Amino acid sequence: DAIIKRIEVKPYEKGAVSISPTQWDYAKKYMDQYEIYRIKRISGEPSEIYVLENPYQQYLDKKLELVPSRLKTVNPKQPK
């Protein structure tokens, strides 16, 4: 049987990785299949790849922290 992996590729940034709400929903839906590859570049060439396997399960296991980075209002009240 074939193994299906759903891979999101992100640039390496110190500490955090940004993930959209849609990507997070995808991680939740495909748990074991979902991975995030963080690529660190040196001199324009990929030099290091960090693989974050099943980020949603790691979040449930308290191995990852989810921190909101944007706030969005839904149906905000209009000023009077």
Side-chain angles (χ1 to χ4, degrees), residues 5-8 19 23-37 51-64:
K5 290 289 181 185
R6 298 164 193 279
I7 298 170
E8 193 74 44
I19 187 167
Q23 292 167 333
W24 189 244
D25 289 343
Y26 207 70
K28 182 179 179 180
K29 180 177 180 179
Y30 293 106
M31 294 181 71
D32 288 336
Q33 296 175 348
Y34 192 83
E35 296 178 350
I36 297 174
Y37 283 35
V51 179
L52 181 58
E53 297 176 338
N54 195 347
Y56 190 78
Q57 185 63 53
Q58 290 194 44
Y59 167 73
L60 294 176
D61 294 341
K62 301 191 184 309
K63 294 178 182 176
L64 280 182

Side-chain angles (χ1 to χ4, degrees), residues 42-74:
I42 297 176
S43 301
E45 295 296 321
S47 59
E48 295 178 30
I49 298 174
Y50 303 92
V51 179
L52 181 58
E53 297 176 338
N54 195 347
Y56 190 78
Q57 185 63 53
Q58 290 194 44
Y59 167 73
L60 294 176
D61 294 341
K62 301 191 184 309
K63 294 178 182 176
L64 280 182
E65 180 181 4
L66 190 61
V67 178
S69 62
R70 287 183 260 165
L71 296 176
K72 180 172 87 170
T73 58
V74 179

